[in-house]
Amino acid sequence: MKGKRWFRRLFPVGLVLAGGLPLVCFALSNLYLASPKGRIFVASKVQEISGFETSVMGSSWSPWNGISVYGIRVEQPGPLNTAFSSPLLTIESIHAKLVWRALVLNRQVLLKGVEIRNPKLVLPIELLSQLPSQPAVVSTPHAVAQVDPSTQLTPAPPLPIGSTPETVALIQQKKPVAKIESVGESTIPTVWVKFSGGGLKIVSTKSKEPLYQISDLKGAAPLGGKHANSEIVLKQIELLGKPLVDTIKIPLKWRSPVLKVGAFGGELFGMDCEAAASIALSGAIPFQINAVLPEQENQKIGFGENVNAKFGSLAAQGVFQGQLTFPATWQGQWITQAASIDTSYASQTAHFDQGQTIVVFRNGALSCIDARLVGEQLTLIGNATLLSDGRAAANGRIIAAPETLFAISKFTEPNSAAPALTPLSTPQRSALDLQFFGKLGEFYFKPNPRAAPIPLN
């Protein structure tokens, strides 16, 4: 009888403990996450993903709301941390809803969805120096002098989006990139990543104003589960502090494991342009971005108050691809072709029959391997390379009659000194060779091959 009495007394206590213990554990775990030690623990997990110094203001969890992290701050790496007052990334909050059954039974993290509020990314171009790359060679000062000034260019027709310019393919042998393909549709619900109040700035230590800026970014991206479509809206886009376009809507199409950014259009310097992209959420995350400027006629572009150009026809095509988690595999190329170009600088005018630019990015080096404007009276030829460590070199050659070059040299030679021209095969034409070289913060200019380098502040 006594045993039954004790059982009757302890049974309610056991029920209270069984029901209250989870609540106590829930409360204590959230108190830990809000404590300094908990914040350091969560920040260390985020830092393992980002690779940069990270801090958080707090976090919490609940069976109904999932896991929430607040006040995420990812610092700029190395010396960039003191060069910029803004961190690399700030996020007001991230809310992730989990499939608890998979976590408890299989110890597998499956997401139902993620909501990101006010992500702000400030991306310095000097971050290129942080990318692992193989050694690259800067063009020698005489690289341009090897180009035959009499070479005539025959612009090819505009390339369809998705193709690779053959002229660039012959110069750069691309590393293989994993093929991006879709598989059968998943049966689980679509996993959505929703974000609002986002922003992007591309900055440089050499510019007080952002080089490129998106002031508002919002939308939802499907990143798992069943097939789905959505869009991202970008607003208030600026280039070098000047409005570029007010709003761009980017359509998204999820076909597991590939997220496709459908072809969307916009304006660049008042000209129509199109772009499309694909990214596979598997393995090393291969991606590819294509952009095209369809052939357009009689377009005018202003490069400041005094420099203007009018193109009889203009077309361009580019591609950028690689594996997202391995920056050393990133590579891209861009080719521009134009015909019947009229330029003006202040009161000076010039006409060119045709023009071409080929730009290549590989191993962390950005190179303009050929840029030229060819005319009967005046021809401009150049190339340039910017390495990931900030070193750069550029060469330019101006080909014209000697008297024309003497007039131009008044703008390039210090104190209007007489230029040292390079003779060509015909006495009717000569060349004025210009050189730029140095590294970020320490550039030099040579107005001719015989001149002493002039520091540029």
Side-chain angles (χ1 to χ4, degrees):
M1 296 293 294
K2 291 183 179 180
K4 292 183 177 180
R5 290 176 182 177
W6 278 107
F7 177 77
R8 290 175 181 176
R9 292 177 181 178
L10 292 176
F11 183 71
V13 176
L15 288 177
V16 172
L17 291 176
L21 187 60
L23 295 177
V24 172
C25 293
F26 169 71
L28 290 177
S29 62
N30 276 289
L31 286 175
Y32 170 75
L33 292 175
S35 68
K37 289 185 178 180
R39 293 197 296 269
I40 294 174
F41 171 77
V42 174
S44 67
K45 296 301 180 182
V46 179
Q47 185 167 328
E48 289 178 4
I49 300 173
S50 68
F52 301 111
E53 182 182 351
T54 304
S55 62
V56 301
M57 296 182 63
S59 56
S60 63
W61 79 276
S62 67
W64 51 91
N65 275 337
I67 299 175
S68 300
V69 183
Y70 307 95
I72 302 171
R73 180 184 174 104
V74 180
E75 303 296 341
Q76 299 283 357
L80 296 178
N81 193 19
T82 56
F84 296 97
S85 58
S86 300
L88 179 67
L89 175 67
T90 58
I91 302 176
E92 181 180 309
S93 63
I94 295 180
H95 304 278
K97 293 186 177 181
L98 305 179
V99 180
W100 295 110
R101 180 178 297 179
L103 183 63
V104 174
L105 298 180
N106 304 324
R107 296 184 180 180
Q108 184 179 8
V109 178
L110 294 179
L111 292 173
K112 287 184 178 179
V114 179
E115 182 179 357
I116 305 175
R117 296 178 181 174
N118 294 325
K120 307 290 185 182
L121 179 63
V122 179
L123 192 64
I125 61 173
E126 287 80 6
L127 267 180
L128 280 173
S129 62
Q130 309 294 322
L131 300 180
S133 61
Q134 300 175 1
V137 180
V138 179
S139 302
T140 61
H142 299 291
V144 175
Q146 306 299 326
V147 179
D148 183 359
S150 64
T151 301
Q152 296 298 315
L153 303 177
T154 304
L159 298 167
I161 191 166
S163 64
T164 302
E166 294 181 358
T167 51
V168 179
L170 292 175
I171 298 170
Q172 295 290 108
Q173 294 182 354
K174 298 184 294 182
K175 298 180 180 179
V177 179
K179 191 176 182 180
I180 301 177
E181 294 181 348
S182 296
V183 297
E185 182 174 5
S186 174
T187 58
I188 65 175
T190 305
V191 178
W192 291 95
V193 177
K194 300 179 180 179
F195 42 90
S196 59
L200 167 68
K201 290 182 180 180
I202 298 178
V203 297
S204 172
T205 56
K206 303 306 173 184
S207 175
K208 295 182 179 179
E209 298 294 331
L211 306 179
Y212 181 82
Q213 179 174 344
I214 301 174
S215 299
D216 188 18
L217 187 154
K218 62 181 180 180
L223 296 180
K226 292 184 177 180
H227 296 173
N229 300 330
S230 65
E231 71 175 13
I232 297 176
V233 180
L234 313 179
K235 292 186 176 181
Q236 300 177 19
I237 303 173
E238 297 181 359
L239 180 65
L240 300 176
K242 295 183 179 181
L244 187 61
V245 63
D246 182 61
T247 302
I248 292 180
K249 294 183 178 180
I250 303 177
L252 302 178
K253 179 184 292 185
W254 169 251
R255 300 293 183 267
S256 181
V258 178
L259 178 66
K260 293 185 178 181
V261 181
F264 63 94
E267 286 192 353
L268 182 65
F269 297 108
M271 295 179 292
D272 296 330
C273 57
E274 300 175 4
S278 295
I279 180 170
L281 302 183
S282 61
I285 314 182
F287 70 92
Q288 179 170 311
I289 303 171
N290 295 88
V292 63
L293 188 71
E295 185 176 15
Q296 299 174 60
E297 299 181 350
N298 300 322
Q299 289 288 345
K300 294 182 179 180
I301 300 179
F303 302 94
E305 297 181 358
N306 298 322
V307 181
N308 296 278
K310 180 182 178 181
F311 298 88
S313 67
L314 179 66
Q317 166 76 42
V319 61
F320 187 68
Q321 59 187 359
Q323 298 174 353
L324 193 62
T325 57
F326 295 98
T329 66
W330 297 357
Q331 55 183 291
Q333 48 208 15
W334 179 265
I335 182 169
T336 304
Q337 296 169 323
S340 186
I341 308 140
D342 292 299
T343 64
S344 63
Y345 173 72
S347 59
Q348 304 295 320
T349 62
H351 176 80
F352 302 95
D353 298 321
Q354 36 191 295
Q356 175 174 290
T357 302
I358 299 176
V359 179
V360 173
F361 178 82
R362 190 181 182 191
N363 294 331
L366 180 66
S367 299
C368 176
I369 58 179
D370 181 43
R372 58 177 64 193
L373 294 170
V374 180
E376 290 187 6
Q377 304 299 324
L378 182 66
T379 294
L380 308 179
I381 303 174
N383 61 30
T385 295
L386 173 63
L387 301 184
S388 59
D389 60 5
R391 289 181 297 149
N395 306 287
R397 165 165 279 194
I398 305 174
I399 303 169
E403 56 271 18
T404 301
L405 296 179
F406 274 94
I408 294 175
S409 68
K410 294 180 180 179
F411 299 94
T412 61
E413 292 283 347
N415 303 320
S416 298
L421 302 182
T422 302
L424 300 179
S425 57
T426 60
Q428 291 80 12
R429 281 194 166 191
S430 298
L432 177 61
D433 292 324
L434 313 174
Q435 301 168 21
F436 296 86
F437 59 91
K439 59 183 179 180
L440 288 174
E442 189 180 351
F443 279 106
Y444 297 88
F445 168 61
K446 292 184 68 175
N448 64 74
R450 300 178 186 176
I454 302 172
L456 298 176
N457 296 326

